[in-house]
Amino acid sequence: SDKNSQLLEQLNTTESQMAAAQRDAAALRDSEARLKLEIDAVEAERLRLENNLTDMQKLKADNQKLVRSEVTRLTQTVLATSDKNSQLLEQLNTTESQMAAAQRDAA
């Protein structure tokens, strides 16, 4: 009877330990599931940020290309305008010389 009581107590202790181990295992599974969701969310955010970075790098490259193109166009415009100004100045000098000569001839 005393032996039976001890065995019964051991059985109860073992059952309690098993129940606690099952609760711990369930808690671990829940924790793992939460961590997996967090990992998935972090991974999705990482991909989103990488895509944003790629988009920003493309925009930056496009903007640099646009700026270079605009600088080239404006430089060409300045050079063409400067050329035209030189031609007009030359024409003005020629016209002034011709007018001076015509005035001398008239005098």
Side-chain angles (χ1 to χ4, degrees), residues 34-99:
R34 279 193 306 277
L35 286 174
K36 183 173 181 341
L37 288 175
E38 287 179 29
I39 288 169
D40 290 347
V42 167
E43 180 66 14
E45 180 67 4
R46 184 184 66 79
L47 289 174
R48 187 186 69 77
L49 290 173
E50 283 178 356
N51 288 337
N52 280 354
L53 178 61
T54 300
D55 291 346
M56 295 298 260
Q57 288 170 335
K58 185 181 182 319
L59 280 174
K60 181 181 176 185
D62 289 349
N63 283 341
Q64 288 173 338
K65 184 177 176 183
L66 181 64
V67 167
R68 281 193 300 272
S69 171
E70 189 64 9
V71 166
T72 300
R73 187 188 69 76
L74 290 173
T75 301
Q76 290 169 347
T77 301
V78 166
L79 291 174
T81 303
S82 179
D83 245 14
K84 185 67 176 169
N85 285 347
S86 293
Q87 290 172 5
L88 290 173
L89 190 56
E90 194 176 317
Q91 286 177 0
L92 179 61
N93 288 335
T94 301
T95 303
E96 286 176 344
S97 296
Q98 289 170 344
M99 285 176 60

Side-chain angles (χ1 to χ4, degrees), residues 11-21 23:
L11 179 62
N12 287 336
T13 301
T14 303
E15 286 176 345
S16 294
Q17 290 171 341
M18 283 178 56
R23 284 192 304 274

Side-chain angles (χ1 to χ4, degrees), residues 17-33:
Q17 290 171 341
M18 283 178 56
Q22 288 174 342
R23 284 192 304 274
D24 289 348
L28 276 174
R29 283 191 299 274
D30 289 347
S31 182
E32 285 176 359

